[in-house]
Amino acid sequence: MKKLFLAIAVLSVTAVSTVNAQTKFLRFGLKGGANLGKLDGQGYKDGFKLGYHLGGFAQVNLSKGFGVQGELIFSSSTVKTTDNFNEVINPDNLNDPSNNDKKIKLNYLSIPLLANISLGSPRVKLQVGPQFSALVSDKNVIKGADEAFKGGDVSGVAGLWLQLPIINISARYIVGFTDVKGVNTVTDRGNWKNQSIQLGVGVTL
């Protein structure tokens, strides 16, 4: 009987150790927070406008100091046009007649693929990598947004990730590489490129 209890104890410790090792190797979680975005290009006001982002992530910790992280993020940002917007596209094409400020809201579904590099501690990580985004919906946006705005965007991401036992905190800067201006309906007046600052808080499951 003692041998049986001993065997069960050994198996239990082994199982717990295996689960802990797997938990450290692969982690999942949820995150959300503020999205400060702007669109660089003629016809748009400079300065970041407040929005939000929500999503989930998966971390694979390949070694003590390095891992990779993939995310699926929905982000919403608002941009405001300037008085010379009509030099780029007819401002009457903004859908909502009550939209006196001529604001345009763009919603993206994004997939960042990031390298996690520990900065002297496994809890503090530098994150860098590409982000691939798709325009999924629009509100108070130019009619024919599928033509005025390209459906996809490729960006670069750099930021910091603080991994607490349950809570995680992140701050990152995202700069667009792609001209998101459609070529069919918009006068060629330079590039339109997304930029954003994301400040997030999440839960590691």
Side-chain angles (χ1 to χ4, degrees):
M1 186 65 68
K2 290 182 179 181
K3 292 183 178 180
L4 178 59
F5 282 128
L6 181 59
I8 293 175
V10 171
L11 290 174
S12 299
V13 171
T14 303
V16 170
S17 300
T18 302
V19 170
N20 287 337
Q22 291 175 347
T23 301
K24 291 180 180 179
F25 174 74
L26 181 62
R27 290 176 172 173
F28 298 93
L30 303 173
K31 58 173 292 190
N35 188 66
L36 304 171
K38 69 175 182 176
L39 190 59
D40 279 340
Q42 183 171 345
Y44 294 97
K45 287 191 175 181
D46 195 16
F48 291 93
K49 305 299 180 185
L50 182 62
Y52 67 91
H53 70 276
L54 297 168
F57 64 89
Q59 292 178 337
V60 178
N61 299 306
L62 300 175
S63 67
K64 184 178 180 179
F66 180 79
V68 293
Q69 179 167 319
E71 300 178 358
L72 182 63
I73 302 293
F74 174 84
S75 64
S76 179
S77 61
T78 301
V79 295
K80 190 174 181 179
T81 64
T82 60
D83 293 337
N84 66 343
F85 187 61
N86 59 351
E87 297 178 10
V88 183
I89 193 169
N90 183 359
D92 294 334
N93 284 334
L94 289 171
N95 290 343
D96 191 345
S98 66
N99 185 16
N100 295 323
D101 291 334
K102 297 296 186 268
K103 292 181 179 178
I104 298 174
K105 182 176 287 185
L106 299 174
N107 298 327
Y108 283 92
L109 189 64
S110 302
I111 302 177
L113 299 175
L114 308 174
N116 285 341
I117 304 169
S118 295
L119 298 178
S121 168
R123 295 196 182 280
V124 183
K125 302 174 182 179
L126 171 68
Q127 294 188 315
V128 291
Q131 174 174 286
F132 307 94
S133 303
L135 182 66
V136 293
S137 63
D138 48 82
K139 183 179 180 182
N140 292 335
V141 110
I142 302 169
K143 289 182 180 179
D146 56 338
E147 297 179 358
F149 293 89
K150 290 181 180 178
D153 187 19
V154 179
S155 308
V157 180
L160 294 175
W161 181 278
L162 176 60
Q163 182 67 64
L164 301 176
I166 298 177
I167 304 297
N168 57 74
I169 301 172
S170 60
R172 62 183 57 164
Y173 182 72
I174 303 168
V175 57
F177 298 146
T178 307
D179 179 9
V180 297
K181 172 174 53 62
V183 295
N184 296 326
T185 62
V186 181
T187 304
D188 187 6
R189 297 278 182 169
N191 296 334
W192 293 357
K193 292 188 177 182
N194 284 308
Q195 292 187 48
S196 64
I197 298 171
Q198 285 187 353
L199 305 174
V201 176
V203 177
T204 305
L205 305 177

